[in-house]
Amino acid sequence: MHRINPTSTPAWKELESLSNELSNKHLVDIVSTHTRKFKYEANLKDFRLNYMRNHLDDRVLDAFERLFDQTKLAEAIEDQFNGKKINETEGRAVLHTALRKNTNTPFILDGENISKQIEGVLSQMEHFSNGVIKGDLKGYSGKLFTDIVNIGIGGSDLGPLMVYEALNAYRKRGLKAHFVSNVDGSHLARTLQEINPETTLFIVASKTFTTQETMANAHSAREWFLSNGGALKDIELHFAALSTNIPAAEDFGIHSSKIFGFWDWVGGRYSVWSAIGLSLCCTLGYETFEKMLRGAEEMDEHFRHSTLRENIPMLLAAIGIWYTNFMKYTSHAILPYDQNLSRLAAYLQQADMESNGKSVDRNGEKVNYETGTILWGEPGTNGQHAFYQLMHQGTPKITSDFLASANTHYPLGNQHELLLANFLAQPQALMHGLSKEQVQLNMAKEGKDQNRIKQLTPYRTFEGNRPSNILIYSLLDPIQVGRIIAMYEHKIFVQGCVWNIYSYDQWGVELGKKIATQVLDEMVSGGTPNSDPITTRLIQNLQALRQ
Ligand code: F6P
């Protein structure tokens, strides 16, 4: 991989000077110039990005084309798709795209035909999930499975959880999935209250099969199963594992036919396309999962072969870099006007922040520019009654992606129209704001006296000038969900390439895990006091409060 400091490129300097000019203009004025009216849209069939409401113009897009060129993005994309070990700090290829490539052409990685391996696991998933849905596979008392409990955390939880919520309309015979992730026993305990051991399938999802939270929950689930009617021999009917660590899954007692493997070239936060999707196959049907793979594959092709102005993930990446590095915006909101995407922001927090939350570049040097994105969000319209106040009138500078589906799986009166009206209104309000004059006119019409008008005007004025991206699609079906996830994955990748960081490792999560082990020792067995006296004091305080 190339190791180019983006700030050393001529294009970066161009963008700096363009941002000096454009940051002083109101978005309404930028957008209304007749040269750009109704430009700035990109489509992948019925999936559409409208990025008109941003502080950019053709000069900015041209400069981004040069920046991508000067940071060798095209080569980086090919390196990733072709299986080069671009995750250099872990010595691994990054091939989640291979998981969704529908092809018979062999893909050889380190002497192995990984296409064959992928096909093998997919057909194991298909067979198993059909068995669960059709009832060929049953619980120990001969009853059909009704509940699937996925035990995993991070990428082994958020992907399937988000997609399960997104595609709930596709559920088969009422099969219900539960997702248990937190080491806080409340999470598992509350789930166990809702299920019956005779009709529950537990799926232990962990790439490493060593993650503290997942192992603790898996062992507790196993104990609960054994003390509520299940026998040791029944474990093989009620437990499956998804992991790259087959021996550890076997040691846990899971039958080899119920272990679904994947590989070290699948990053945890990019693993929903792998065996980690088994809970989806078992509840939504294998064909739904397969369609999601096809949607993602379409986005892969679109990303790999389109020019910047047509390329949805690349445009989103460019806009993100533009606002983060040049316009000095501080965070990015994900705002799906779709209750079914209620976990999208949480999913993307891991995908994006674990990937690009880095401050050392590929040369081992501390970066001298911003990287990473603070990402957050909630579905609309709920967010409107919570944090939109800050988006409209607060001081932090925030960018946002608004997403909505033209049609709904759940038509109820005119509620979908109400939802879409709000979806369209908010970005308009964010951009236009409301002028002092208009505010005063409105208050005069309300019959307010002049003193009150004068007093309230500053509070009721909206500056506007807040940018947004709009993503629309015909219906939130498996194809669109595949496209949405793959789109964001590629956006993250492009940003990591330009920022010259390694997006596919996550060393930053290690330290806290290590300290937790020491703290546990000190808490439970009075082991050597922690080197941090504040922690030791807090342990003592907590112990005093424990019953
Ligand atoms: O938090 C770090 C992390 O390694 C994530 O990257 C990963 O998705 C998660 O933990 C779970 O890991 P595993 O699937 O190995 O249990």
Side-chain angles (χ1 to χ4, degrees), residues 152-156 205-211 214 262 267-269 271 276 350 354 506 509-510 513:
I153 197 163
S156 301
S206 176
K207 181 174 167 180
T208 54
F209 228 77
T210 57
T211 303
T214 302
F262 59 111
R269 51 195 175 273
S271 64
I276 291 296
Q350 188 202 9
E354 200 168 68
Q506 56 285 315
V509 302
E510 297 302 326
K513 289 185 193 174

Side-chain angles (χ1 to χ4, degrees), residues 27-37:
L27 194 49
V28 169
D29 298 324
I30 298 174
V31 169
S32 65
T33 60
H34 79 274
T35 50
R36 60 169 279 166
K37 257 198 192 136

